[in-house]
Amino acid sequence: MRINDDLTVPVIVHAAQLPWKPSPSPGVERRMLFRIGDEVARATSIVRYAPDSAFPRHTHGGGEEVVVLDGVFQDEHGDYPAGSYYRNPPGTSHVPASKDGCTIFVRLWQFRDGDRDQIVRRPAEGRPLAPRSGATSAIELFDDGFENVRIESWVPGRTITIENPRGLEALVLAGSLSIGDQALTSQAWIRLPAGEALRAVSGSEGAKVWVKDAPLLHPDVCRMS
């Protein structure tokens, strides 16, 4: 399966408008944003867990990066309420589940081969940064010199420019923004190749945006067997 696999072209996906596709586990459904592969795949998805649903224990051979969008995501290591961010590096394993249901944004098999940083950020945790022009706040969730991950809150009705020297992904967490003639709301996903700056106008209620500044596929990305 190949979905939005050409990393040289800009992509905007209005994920909230996509149908939910069943996963192999009952009660777990997905909206696929990027995918190369079948059930084991390099993938970026929105995943919804129904109440009392779970995925069987599995090992993340290529790492897992997650933002909890709503509800409470859980595994045997703890509970992760909406607004949480975590990174499970290659070789880690768990049994993901949700007692009351949740929705998450997840990236799989996109870690560098040498990335072994296991990170958990609860809501509002992280390093405060000086906000860019048009933003009210910025919280850095992760930076290892190869990629920078943050959550930004944008002032209503302002033009925001994010330069893009190495690749950029963004997910609208709340509020709205527009890029050209496209209006983006919650769960809208943006991916831009290096050299193409993100230029957006925040909506009347502002916007909260997850931003990842990193190569769209690391040169030393984990190899899939």
Side-chain angles (χ1 to χ4, degrees):
M1 184 184 298
R2 305 184 78 89
I3 298 172
N4 293 321
D5 61 317
D6 185 347
L7 302 179
T8 67
V9 300
V11 174
I12 294 176
V13 178
H14 300 273
Q17 299 175 16
L18 296 178
W20 291 104
K21 302 289 188 180
S23 79
S25 292
V28 182
E29 301 174 300
R30 301 174 287 199
R31 288 170 165 158
M32 299 181 183
L33 311 178
F34 160 69
R35 199 170 190 89
I36 301 175
D38 295 316
E39 194 49 45
V40 177
R42 297 198 198 286
T44 301
S45 309
I46 306 287
V47 180
R48 180 172 69 179
Y49 284 73
D52 294 317
S53 62
F55 218 88
R57 175 172 296 281
H58 55 277
T59 298
H60 291 291
E64 174 192 52
E65 184 176 21
V66 167
V67 181
V68 182
L69 303 180
D70 65 51
V72 179
F73 185 60
Q74 298 164 306
D75 63 15
E76 66 271 36
H77 307 296
D79 293 352
Y80 313 95
S84 298
Y85 169 82
Y86 76 77
R87 299 169 60 90
N88 280 333
T92 55
S93 68
H94 67 158
V95 181
S98 183
K99 181 180 184 298
D100 298 318
C102 70
T103 306
I104 64 173
F105 170 75
V106 59
R107 302 173 80 254
L108 300 172
W109 278 99
Q110 297 179 62
F111 274 53
R112 294 181 303 105
D113 186 50
D115 188 344
R116 293 296 183 268
D117 289 323
Q118 189 161 22
I119 301 291
V120 176
R121 303 286 188 227
R122 304 295 180 183
E125 287 184 349
R127 185 168 75 94
L129 301 174
R132 71 180 78 247
S133 177
T136 58
S137 66
I139 300 292
E140 183 179 87
L141 303 173
F142 178 75
D143 192 321
D144 65 350
F146 296 94
E147 54 186 78
N148 178 273
V149 183
R150 60 179 66 192
I151 290 178
E152 301 188 3
S153 294
W154 295 355
V155 177
R158 293 288 295 274
T159 298
I160 308 291
T161 300
I162 304 179
E163 299 300 332
N164 178 17
R166 54 185 178 179
L168 198 68
E169 282 187 56
L171 181 75
V172 180
L173 302 175
S176 65
L177 57 91
S178 60
I179 297 176
D181 61 356
Q182 294 202 58
L184 284 67
T185 56
S186 180
Q187 294 191 19
W189 177 69
I190 306 152
R191 190 186 68 200
L192 299 175
E196 181 149 344
L198 172 61
R199 293 183 174 87
V201 178
S202 54
S204 60
E205 68 277 51
K208 187 175 183 179
V209 185
W210 176 90
V211 179
K212 185 182 187 75
D213 166 14
L216 300 184
L217 202 62
H218 290 288
D220 56 347
V221 68
C222 291
R223 292 186 178 184
M224 298 180 66
S225 55

